[in-house]
Amino acid sequence: MEPVLKGISRRRLLLSSAAIAGSVAVLGSSGNASAAASRVLRLASGESDGPTGTMDPAFNKIDADAARISLVYERLIILDKNFEPQPQLAQSWSSNEKGDVWTIELKPGISFHNGKPLTAADVVYTYRRLIDPKTASPVATTFGELTPEGIEAVDDKTVRFTLKSPVVEFPSLIANRFTYIVPEGSTAEELRTRGQGTGPFKVQEFVPGREPSVFVRNEAYWREGLPKVDRVELRAIADTSARLSALLTGQIDLSWDVPRVGLQALQAAPNLTVVTVPSPYVMSLTLMVDVPPFNDVRVRQAMKLVVDRQRMIDLVLGGLGKPASDQPVASWVQYGLDEPAPARDVAKAKQLLAEAGHPDGIDVELYTSEATAGFLEMAALYQAMAAEAGIRVAINKVPGDGYFANVWRKVPFLCTSKGARNADEALSQFYLSNAAWNDTHWKSEEFDGLIAEARQTLDTAKRAELYRKAQRLLRDDGGVIVPMFANSVGAHRKDLTGFEIHPQKNAQDFSQISIGG
Amino acid sequence: MTRHIAIQAALSLLSLLLVSILVFWLVDLLPGDAAERVLGQDATTEGLAVLREQFGLNHSALARYLAWISGLLRGDLGTSMIAGQPVANYVAGRVQNSAILAAFALVLYVPVSLALALLTAVYRGTAVDVGLTVFVLLGMCIPEFVIAIFLVSLFAVTLNLFPALALLDTAQGFGDLVRMLFLPVLTLTAAMSAYSVRLMRESLIQILDSDYIQLARLKGLPNWRIMGWHALPNALGPALNVLALNIAWLIGSIVLVETVFNFDGLGRLLVNSIRYKDTPVIQAIVMLLCAVYVLANLLADVSIMALNPKLRTRR
């Protein structure tokens, strides 16, 4: 092997920088990396963007898509930070006694970017398109209760949804990342790169796979005095250190995806503000309950009992998280279970293992990867915590790329993460017996019944109790260890105002941001 | 000599063909397929079926390879599965960006490594040589991305002399472009100066100890003249060989450097395409990079012959 000379460049640099500084002066360049105009908002998403990027709400998938779509389009109903439904394009909504017919009134005086007024026909078109098998939108499965003929325009400003069976949470159900309203007759090809919305910004330039995506102010936006910037430029900066450097040096004004660990540099930076909000973003370890030894509920309980939740939060999330109790609904979310998280109890865990026929402990293999920030640390920490109870964890680190395609739902014990969801989605999408993404293989008729009943119970207090019962059941019997929820963390330049980070990464609101006072 | 070049060229083409088969096969071996990669955690059976149909993944790997290679022979690079646009347009802009980056790096690298090699050779055994060599060995242990991050934190974040990211579209004028490229180019140069300094040092030492240099000294020629006139031209041959080897370094480093500096070039596109298993794009980029490498070696071969009188003469 020959030695490599890298140091020299640093030495050489002192000479070159002087030379370059000279040449820059000669060329009369600004020599300043910050934005020329004060009214440009430069955003950076964390997940990488690329040729799959889209602005078609039906295929809203990555963070950059979600940002683009939320700049240009709007929804009838949105969720606030506690996952309660709030009106956006809707003026009001109401349902019949049973909860299987919903009527939504639109706000008056709203137009699309091309000047066409928003009417009920656009809403009908949007929803029919989402459930059309030909569209193949991932949201279609969520909308099993909808039929094309059940979506109709009563008049210009009124839409009626007639469902196959009651869904009392219909407003929350339609407040997801796919239901942005598009004009009647929009084709997939139009929507992908040059769709017309009602939102605060119009698309100026978006070529999938090319950066940045550029948006300009919608002069005719229906909310008085908004937006307060003229232009938005969006990039995806996947490399964490690059994203932080860009924030620190002022090449980016705002990112809503900042690593929770190692925030000191950002917090100490005089030109930046770090923003954070508790989010029901699930960090978890998933067990398949039909694979020994996890098929014994006592083993599952022992594996939950060894976790020191606060320590997990401190070490894996840098303190920016909230303890969870082995089920995916956070206590502050609507219908959340407000009971203290289980305390660590090694003695009880050992006893349970012995009762299950494992007096000498168990050997398990835990898969982890860098697919989600914190997985490696979470696995190592779990290994250490479990060891004291005789649960010997062998860690198997696999590539982060394709982790959710190739490892998730294929191995019996692994680190998983799930985006922030409302209570019903968090419980139903992964833990119903017939859920497409049932990664624990846990099947409980009682749980299924509770969710079905909750969905049809109009009385809010009763409904909350049913959801809470379902959560207790999952916590005590299910195959998922949820030690914690991870906060959403973002950072922006000091003189930027009007941004509140949303716990759902894909539901950020950029409409009220202003820069420089 | 012409015959030799012809044989070399034929071998180069053959190795490119083998690389194309190998890469296609390796990509195919990666777990999952493009449809699964695109849908990720949200994959449903129906969604996968639709995408597989759309991406043409229902044909066998062999059929897909044959379709690709026959297209290539017609000058058609195919269509990116993910972007849905012709690979040629899709890659062209990035080729240009990466070429700019590589050109700057090469321009900087040649004088830097030559000067250093000369220093260590001339001051062989002195503190200068030892100091630089330690430096070299230290540098060798540090991967490019660490160097890149170090440079960014020092020159961009702390001193604010250069931008942290090379966002080419924001450059206003040539000066901006130079400032943006400065840190990535520096990182690349560091990576490339890799072992070339050591190799050139060896060949320079051999030359400096040779009879004709001794003779020049005895004649009383000034030192600069001996170096510039007699030693350096003779050291250029080995330097060219090293340069060809270094192209490989450069290609490898570009991928890392583009990621760290968010530079919109081939390397980043390659990483993204591998993430999605977008075979046509991967094939196009890998073939291009291999072609560059093979061509660089071929050129090095030819120029060494051209520079070396012994190989030029026909007896």
Side-chain angles (χ1 to χ4, degrees), chain A residues 111-131:
Chain A
S111 298
F112 288 101
H113 296 154
N114 56 7
K116 194 179 93 64
L118 165 77
T119 66
D122 302 308
V123 177
V124 171
Y125 177 83
T126 299
Y127 278 86
R128 283 186 181 167
R129 176 174 182 259
L130 288 176
I131 59 172

Side-chain angles (χ1 to χ4, degrees), chain A residues 4-5 8 13 52 61 209 251, chain B residues 38 82 94 116 136 155 165:
Chain A
V4 182
L5 192 59
I8 193 57
L13 171 87
T52 50
K61 180 168 161 42
Q251 282 185 293
Chain B
V38 168
I82 312 286
R94 271 93 175 184
L116 281 169
V136 167
F155 291 101
L165 304 187

Side-chain angles (χ1 to χ4, degrees), chain A residues 329-351:
Chain A
V329 186
S331 59
W332 66 89
V333 167
Q334 193 185 26
Y335 312 127
L337 183 65
D338 200 5
E339 291 174 12
R344 183 166 196 247
D345 190 340
V346 175
K348 182 142 191 250
K350 277 185 173 159
Q351 184 200 329

Side-chain angles (χ1 to χ4, degrees), chain A residues 172-191:
Chain A
S172 299
L173 181 77
I174 62 168
N176 63 44
R177 68 189 298 173
F178 303 101
T179 54
Y180 290 81
I181 304 301
V182 303
E184 186 178 15
S186 305
T187 63
E189 189 258 333
E190 279 171 2
L191 289 171

Side-chain angles (χ1 to χ4, degrees), chain A residues 13-271:
Chain A
L13 171 87
L14 299 172
L15 305 170
S16 321
S17 51
I20 296 242
S23 70
V24 168
V26 168
L27 286 155
S29 146
S30 67
N32 179 357
S34 72
S38 63
R39 308 249 309 178
V40 178
L41 170 64
R42 296 157 308 162
L43 305 172
S45 77
E47 202 178 357
S48 71
D49 189 8
T52 50
T54 184
M55 278 179 46
D56 184 341
F59 304 105
N60 183 351
K61 180 168 161 42
I62 53 175
D63 292 347
D65 293 346
R68 280 187 284 262
I69 288 166
S70 70
L71 288 164
V72 171
Y73 306 96
E74 290 173 312
R75 292 168 287 179
L76 297 174
I77 297 168
I78 56 176
L79 296 175
D80 65 13
K81 1 186 249 223
N82 300 325
F83 292 75
E84 306 215 12
Q86 304 293 343
Q88 188 168 37
L89 293 174
Q91 179 87 291
S92 62
W93 55 85
S94 58
S95 81
N96 63 348
E97 235 359 66
K98 257 175 81 185
D100 61 354
V101 178
W102 287 83
T103 309
I104 297 181
E105 297 283 337
L106 298 177
K107 284 182 178 141
I110 297 179
S111 298
F112 288 101
H113 296 154
N114 56 7
K116 194 179 93 64
L118 165 77
T119 66
D122 302 308
V123 177
V124 171
Y125 177 83
T126 299
Y127 278 86
R128 283 186 181 167
R129 176 174 182 259
L130 288 176
I131 59 172
D132 185 346
K134 283 210 276 299
T135 309
S137 167
V139 79
T141 48
T142 315
F143 285 161
E145 301 299 333
L146 286 173
T147 55
E149 46 286 353
I151 307 167
E152 52 195 332
V154 179
D155 60 38
D156 244 14
K157 291 279 171 247
T158 316
V159 188
R160 186 163 57 215
F161 293 90
T162 309
L163 313 180
K164 288 186 206 161
S165 58
V167 179
V168 294
E169 284 298 334
F170 188 69
S172 299
L173 181 77
I174 62 168
N176 63 44
R177 68 189 298 173
F178 303 101
T179 54
Y180 290 81
I181 304 301
V182 303
E184 186 178 15
S186 305
T187 63
E189 189 258 333
E190 279 171 2
L191 289 171
R192 175 151 193 206
T193 55
R194 47 197 167 88
Q196 302 285 332
T198 57
F201 295 94
K202 299 183 281 194
V203 60
Q204 179 174 317
E205 189 187 357
F206 168 53
V207 180
R210 192 172 318 148
E211 300 209 302
S213 315
V214 182
F215 305 86
V216 291
R217 192 179 163 196
N218 172 11
E219 299 292 345
Y221 187 50
W222 58 276
R223 283 156 79 197
E224 209 50 52
L226 296 178
K228 294 176 178 160
V229 292
D230 301 317
R231 184 182 160 96
V232 178
E233 292 175 4
L234 169 79
R235 297 172 192 278
I237 305 176
D239 187 76
T240 304
S241 70
R243 199 160 63 255
L244 297 187
S245 308
L247 278 164
L248 288 164
T249 57
Q251 282 185 293
I252 292 294
D253 302 319
L254 165 71
S255 177
W256 60 101
D257 183 358
V258 166
R260 295 168 195 93
V261 182
L263 275 175
Q264 295 83 346
L266 292 188
Q267 280 160 334
N271 59 335

